[in-house]
Amino acid sequence: MCAATADSIMIRVGVNGYGTIGKRVADGIRLQPDMQLIGVAKTRPNFEAETAIQKGYSLYSAIPERSHQFAEAGLDLHGEVGDLVAESDVIVDATPSGVGAENCSLYKQHETPAILQGGESPETVDESFVAQVNYNDAVGAELLRVVSCNTTGLSRLLEPIDREYGVEKARATLIRRGGDPGETTRGPINDILPDPVTLPSHHGPDVQTIFPDVDIDTLGVTVPSTLMHLHSVNLTLDTAPSVQAVADLLSRQSRLFVVPAELSIDGTAKLKEFAKDAGRPRGDLWENCLWEESIAIEGNDLYLFQSIHQEANVVPENIDAIRALVGRKTAAESIALTNDRLGMSTTQPYAKSQQHSTSQPADD
Ligand code: NAD
């Protein structure tokens, strides 16, 4: 029998925090051929704990003092969060902002590298991460942060444009959803908020954790929608390309979906409807969605609109971050594998997701 090579050994992954992001990352991990989902940690028994068990995920108690609540609800626990951390090669922490930083001592105690999310401050971690930009910097880190949905979306756009044409100055107004669909206490429900009213919003400095040298100003607005964010972007370039050249460049990026005019998708509601019709799980859009018709060049200034599905676009980055932490695969290999297993495509999400639905692993 052949000895197992390092590359054939499954990466054991635990997910601590099983909410909007955590449950999507757990589902994505389960689709990867080189990863084993050890389990997910929940603070309390609820519908998400129920569905985790129905999917066959081992459930761990995130707060040991509350473990009895799971038994009272008739839900079997596999252990407590410390057990999950000990059994995992990597932890994805998808707890609410600030909780991830508090959890770091537990991860360090078990010498288990961890991936935090965009709600944590960059100072908490060794590196902030966007796969196509700085995958190699993450290799061997103890603590990594997958940056927020908005920062991920801006970084994915900036990388190819800066590489190809040079970005002298970036300006973006981020029109942000008031809350996720499941968040019943968020708002506004009848208002449009400059948020923050002062310049800059935190997104510009956050982008600089990925591109330290980029000159970027961001403004934030919050609106009564739960569907997606919309970015109005203006990039002043070193050299002026044609609109067609920009559209072609962006179309070649595997995590950008350039929305063609012929689909008659006029906004975020139809984008989400398209994703649901295409059979995407939860109607998720892992790609930035850029309207092809919005791409405009005036002198050296590039303008466009893109939308970001806040619940979904950091999922592929978390999966790549797992491989980066343990030094498995190159960035290109990991991105290609993640994209393929999730069912992403640059130009035809519908065709790709149909094809993918017949090629999932047998245990799915
Ligand atoms: P969420 O509230 O939907 O999920 C967080 C989960 O963690 C909940 O199930 C909560 O019960 C659980 N939790 C609370 N305390 C815990 C603890 N001590 N141990 C384990 N679990 C605990 O939050 P979310 O939207 O998934 O956000 C998680 C992180 O991802 C945050 O840093 C957030 O900023 C970031 N993020 C969120 C979005 C988004 O739009 N939802 C997008 C990108 C990044």
Side-chain angles (χ1 to χ4, degrees):
M1 209 163 102
C2 295
T5 62
D7 229 29
S8 68
I9 298 168
M10 301 285 263
I11 310 169
R12 294 168 300 170
V13 189
V15 175
N16 188 19
Y18 191 72
T20 306
I21 302 299
K23 62 189 174 188
R24 288 171 165 81
V25 172
D27 289 355
I29 290 167
R30 193 175 60 158
L31 293 171
Q32 305 306 310
D34 54 347
M35 296 182 192
Q36 179 190 359
L37 181 68
I38 297 298
V40 302
K42 284 281 305 164
T43 54
R44 63 192 170 99
N46 68 353
F47 73 96
E48 284 160 328
E50 284 275 353
T51 50
I53 285 186
Q54 281 168 20
K55 286 172 185 238
Y57 299 166
S58 297
L59 200 59
Y60 291 75
S61 168
I63 301 178
E65 304 80 63
R66 293 196 203 155
S67 295
H68 64 94
Q69 293 181 6
F70 291 87
E72 287 159 16
L75 299 180
D76 287 335
L77 280 181
H78 209 78
E80 294 177 348
V81 63
D83 304 318
L84 178 65
V85 177
E87 291 166 41
S88 300
D89 298 322
V90 176
I91 284 287
V92 176
D93 183 301
T95 59
S97 304
V99 178
E102 291 170 13
N103 287 339
C104 288
S105 57
L106 177 67
Y107 308 143
K108 285 189 172 164
Q109 186 190 322
H110 289 276
E111 297 183 0
T112 306
I115 296 161
L116 309 186
Q117 305 303 312
E120 307 302 327
S121 83
E123 290 74 33
T124 311
V125 296
D126 302 317
E127 292 290 340
S128 295
F129 181 85
V130 174
Q132 76 193 66
V133 184
N134 60 355
Y135 184 96
N136 292 339
D137 296 343
V139 176
E142 283 180 19
L143 292 171
L144 209 58
R145 181 179 74 114
V146 168
V147 293
S148 75
C149 48
N150 282 308
T151 304
T152 297
L154 287 171
S155 299
R156 284 179 182 168
L157 177 67
L158 279 170
E159 191 274 328
I161 300 278
D162 190 40
R163 173 167 35 87
E164 210 62 29
Y165 310 117
V167 173
E168 185 189 314
K169 173 84 189 176
R171 303 171 189 83
T173 300
L174 313 183
I175 299 148
R176 297 146 70 199
R177 57 87 178 103
D180 294 338
E183 291 182 308
T184 46
T185 56
R186 295 275 298 254
I189 57 171
N190 184 26
D191 209 343
I192 300 172
L193 307 174
D195 181 18
V197 72
T198 51
L199 186 115
S201 70
H202 70 272
H203 307 91
D206 206 30
V207 167
Q208 287 166 329
T209 67
I210 303 296
F211 296 94
D213 298 329
V214 81
D215 182 3
I216 180 167
D217 291 336
T218 54
L219 295 98
V221 178
T222 303
V223 296
S225 168
T226 62
L227 297 177
M228 298 175 80
H229 304 300
L230 177 75
H231 294 176
S232 170
V233 181
N234 165 218
L235 305 176
T236 303
L237 307 177
D238 293 339
T239 56
S242 68
V243 166
Q244 191 58 51
V246 173
D248 290 345
L249 172 69
L250 298 180
S251 296
R252 291 196 299 273
Q253 310 306 310
S254 70
R255 291 183 178 168
L256 303 182
F257 169 39
V258 179
V259 183
E262 54 269 26
L263 289 182
S264 300
I265 292 177
D266 60 5
T268 58
K270 285 207 181 72
L271 272 174
K272 289 288 292 155
E273 193 69 9
F274 177 54
K276 285 186 266 185
D277 288 353
R280 287 288 182 90
R282 302 185 176 92
D284 280 352
L285 287 153
W286 301 291
E287 310 90 340
N288 293 18
C289 301
L290 289 91
W291 275 272
E292 185 173 22
E293 292 164 287
S294 73
I295 300 170
I297 299 282
E298 296 289 334
N300 275 26
D301 280 316
L302 164 66
Y303 296 87
L304 58 81
F305 288 124
Q306 67 169 1
S307 273
I308 304 297
H309 185 200
Q310 75 282 356
E311 298 167 284
N313 82 324
V314 296
V315 172
E317 307 302 323
N318 271 278
I319 293 169
D320 292 329
I322 293 166
R323 291 195 189 96
L325 269 183
V326 298
R328 291 279 177 86
K329 305 207 184 297
T330 64
E333 288 168 347
S334 178
I335 289 170
L337 184 57
T338 303
N339 292 353
D340 181 63
R341 286 309 178 118
L342 288 178
M344 294 168 74
S345 166
T346 49
T347 53
Q348 193 44 279
Y350 180 73
K352 184 71 179 179
S353 66
Q354 297 302 300
Q355 176 193 327
H356 183 69
S357 66
T358 59
S359 64
Q360 288 180 351
D363 68 346
D364 190 56

